Amino acid sequence: MASFIIEGGHLLSGEITPQGAKNEALQVICATLLTNEEVTIQNIPDIRDVNNLIQLLRDIGVKVKAVERGTYTFLADALNLDYLQSDEFVQKCAELRGSVMMIGPLLARMGKAVIAKPGGDKIGRRRLDTHFLGFEKLGATFNRIPERDVFEISAKQLKGTNMLLDEASVTGTANIVMAAVLAKGTTTIYNAACEPYVQQLCHLLNHMGAKISGIASNLLTIEGVEQLHGAEHRILPDMIEIGSFIGMAAMCGDGIRIKNVSLKDLGIIPDTFRRLGVRVKAEGDDLFIPKQRHYEIQSFIDGTIMTLADAPWPGLTPDLLSVLIVVATQARGSVLFHQKMFESRLFFVDKLIDMGAQIILCDPHRAVVVGHDRKITLRGGRMSSPDIRAGIALLIAAMSANGTSRIDNIEQIDRGYENIEARLNALGAKITRA
């Protein structure tokens, strides 16, 4: 198990460019299974989850070539269907949550797939019912294999249908869309997720010959086609990494420019930091965050305490609440955070409390942060990263703290952030991997 040793108190300055979006990469890489022609994808992040998914595709027979840094070609013209039934494949899927995105493409093109309970962050229950209900509506059947603790899903021919999703699940929407593009007839998906990364997946599929309309709305219409062909695609910059960098710049920055952020795809993320009082300047397609000597949390128009809550797009992504909580610890004022979508994501705040933060954990979903207004600096300590986003939030806290901190289990951070210590050290941080 690796750890970060962080010497706190150093100001960061300079420029940093965000990596390609992790969540988009997991979707579009799986979409390459839908065709026997070559698909080229650019701006793929070099992170653990994505690399493990690429290796899993190699294991099932996809020919993967690295063209240059961040650019790969995928050719799924000879899949090993026997390997899909193996215990080794099931075990690897169980260790990687992104593997669930393979089900839709395999079901659509090969008529069958195996489902194991996927791994990932330990942030509470993350059900897959939306995926299963969507596949069933398209005509798939499920068969549970108790001794292997897996489901086999099969369909001779998926058929288009109308469906109303029980929740606007991002991965559920993406999986169902990938299954529906090769179904017979027309499929409509209402209450579909409309995140930029789902939009990107739909654009790639259309470039491959699919017929998807309603992109960027919560009502998608997919006219099934007989086959898809090759295409080229470029992944957006990672909005969660951009938000993490805004948080770092607010807490311990001396003027940081975040380059090429695709501002139009960031939604309310910059404005959410502004509600905490952080100055965020949009300059072209860059964001510049000047040194924040003080930042004051806004209140609502009627003077009541600010509440920030996660919600499906275009609401606030839950992946940034951990970073926002850390930023609020040094703001002037108080704010209530309401984490609605996961049960265990706020439990990391006990580590911030140990560092001196004033936080009241009301219940598993709500926490009140009383900001120090920089009058009391967080103190270094030893902690462990419970998930990707809490891990980066703890790293930000440690960088702003007095003294030296140690963060264990940083493999969680590596799952979502590319070469993070080298990139931050280039800005002036003092982070060592142990």
Side-chain angles (χ1 to χ4, degrees):
M1 181 181 293
S3 303
F4 280 150
I5 309 299
I6 305 102
E7 185 180 302
H10 295 280
L11 290 177
L12 279 59
S13 63
E15 297 181 349
I16 191 165
T17 301
Q19 67 188 30
K22 166 185 175 283
N23 291 337
E24 180 186 342
L26 297 176
Q27 295 177 26
V28 298
I29 288 172
C30 288
T32 65
L33 293 169
L34 286 164
T35 178
N36 61 4
E37 296 184 17
E38 189 174 83
V39 178
T40 301
I41 302 178
Q42 302 170 345
N43 203 29
I44 293 178
D46 183 12
I47 55 177
R48 182 174 299 233
D49 273 13
V50 170
N51 292 338
N52 287 346
L53 179 62
I54 291 174
Q55 184 56 50
L56 191 57
L57 262 62
R58 286 191 173 107
D59 291 341
I60 66 174
V62 179
K63 301 178 182 68
V64 183
K65 294 181 181 179
V67 178
E68 58 185 28
R69 180 174 176 79
T71 299
Y72 289 79
T73 61
F74 299 84
L75 181 60
D77 61 346
L79 298 183
N80 182 356
L81 298 183
D82 292 336
Y83 184 74
L84 298 176
Q85 305 295 325
S86 69
D87 290 339
E88 181 181 350
F89 175 74
V90 170
Q91 178 61 32
K92 288 187 176 182
C93 289
E95 295 171 355
L96 175 64
R97 183 164 187 84
S99 65
V100 72
M101 303 305 303
M102 299 170 60
I103 301 170
L106 289 172
L107 179 63
R109 185 173 164 209
M110 301 300 171
K112 60 181 179 180
V114 178
I115 304 170
K117 183 178 179 180
D121 291 327
K122 307 305 180 185
I123 53 176
R125 187 170 60 96
R126 303 173 76 183
R127 63 188 183 90
L128 298 177
D129 300 61
T130 303
H131 303 241
F132 297 168
L133 292 171
F135 295 146
E136 283 185 326
K137 287 182 178 295
L138 290 170
T141 58
F142 291 82
N143 179 33
R144 186 169 184 269
I145 313 298
E147 60 272 18
R148 300 178 66 201
D149 194 25
V150 300
F151 284 91
E152 290 183 348
I153 178 172
S154 60
K156 290 184 178 179
Q157 172 66 66
L158 296 176
K159 296 181 179 180
T161 186
N162 300 323
M163 66 179 79
L164 171 63
L165 301 188
D166 62 330
E167 65 172 351
S169 165
V170 175
T171 55
T173 299
N175 231 344
I176 295 167
V177 167
M178 286 190 283
V181 292
L182 294 181
K184 186 176 182 178
T186 299
T187 300
T188 59
I189 306 173
Y190 194 36
N191 195 29
C194 55
E195 268 80 353
Y197 305 144
V198 175
Q199 298 175 34
Q200 285 283 97
L201 171 67
C202 291
H203 289 313
L204 168 61
L205 293 172
N206 279 349
H207 291 152
M208 294 168 67
K211 296 180 180 179
I212 305 172
S213 58
I215 298 172
S217 77
N218 66 350
L219 177 59
L220 294 174
T221 301
I222 303 111
E223 297 180 44
V225 297
E226 290 189 3
Q227 63 183 17
L228 299 180
H229 52 72
E232 293 188 5
H233 179 77
R234 182 172 180 82
I235 293 173
L236 288 174
D238 195 307
M239 70 169 75
I240 312 304
E241 190 174 66
I242 292 166
S244 303
F245 293 156
I246 296 174
M248 290 178 186
M251 289 285 284
C252 47
D254 194 22
I256 292 178
R257 179 176 298 277
I258 309 171
K259 300 284 292 180
N260 303 324
V261 299
S262 190
L263 188 60
K264 64 182 179 62
D265 295 302
L266 292 183
I268 66 171
I269 289 174
D271 281 340
T272 302
F273 282 95
R274 292 181 182 119
R275 295 175 82 177
L276 294 182
V278 178
R279 297 189 303 282
V280 181
K281 299 180 180 180
E283 299 178 354
D285 206 30
D286 298 349
L287 290 178
F288 180 72
I289 297 86
K291 184 174 182 178
Q292 316 281 320
R293 298 188 185 279
H294 297 278
Y295 47 99
E296 184 171 356
I297 298 170
Q298 298 176 4
S299 58
F300 288 117
I301 293 174
D302 62 359
T304 54
I305 184 173
M306 175 61 62
T307 299
L308 296 179
D310 60 340
W313 188 270
L316 177 63
T317 171
D319 284 348
L320 274 179
L321 277 191
S322 301
V323 171
L324 289 162
I325 288 171
V326 170
V327 173
T329 65
Q330 291 301 319
R332 179 185 295 157
S334 301
V335 57
L336 169 65
F337 289 94
H338 192 171
Q339 164 62 271
K340 300 177 181 178
M341 299 173 71
F342 302 105
E343 290 118 339
S344 307
R345 209 161 206 172
L346 294 184
F347 289 158
F348 86 103
V349 303
D350 64 340
K351 301 173 178 64
L352 298 177
I353 294 171
D354 289 342
M355 298 176 75
Q358 292 185 316
I359 303 175
I360 303 166
L361 185 60
C362 307
D363 54 45
H365 293 280
R366 296 177 302 156
V368 175
V369 180
V370 181
H372 288 315
D373 192 20
R374 299 199 186 276
K375 294 176 181 176
I376 303 174
T377 305
L378 298 179
R379 55 181 176 268
R382 182 161 187 171
M383 58 207 88
S384 180
S385 172
D387 63 77
I388 301 175
R389 309 309 175 187
I392 202 69
L394 293 174
L395 180 59
I396 295 171
M399 290 164 60
S400 70
N402 280 331
T404 299
S405 299
R406 182 186 183 103
I407 302 177
D408 298 323
N409 194 30
I410 61 170
E411 288 83 0
Q412 288 284 4
I413 301 175
D414 290 338
R415 289 178 48 219
Y417 292 85
E418 179 179 327
N419 196 21
I420 189 65
E421 72 273 26
R423 297 162 71 202
L424 297 183
N425 286 344
L427 297 177
K430 301 293 182 183
I431 306 170
T432 304
R433 182 179 292 259

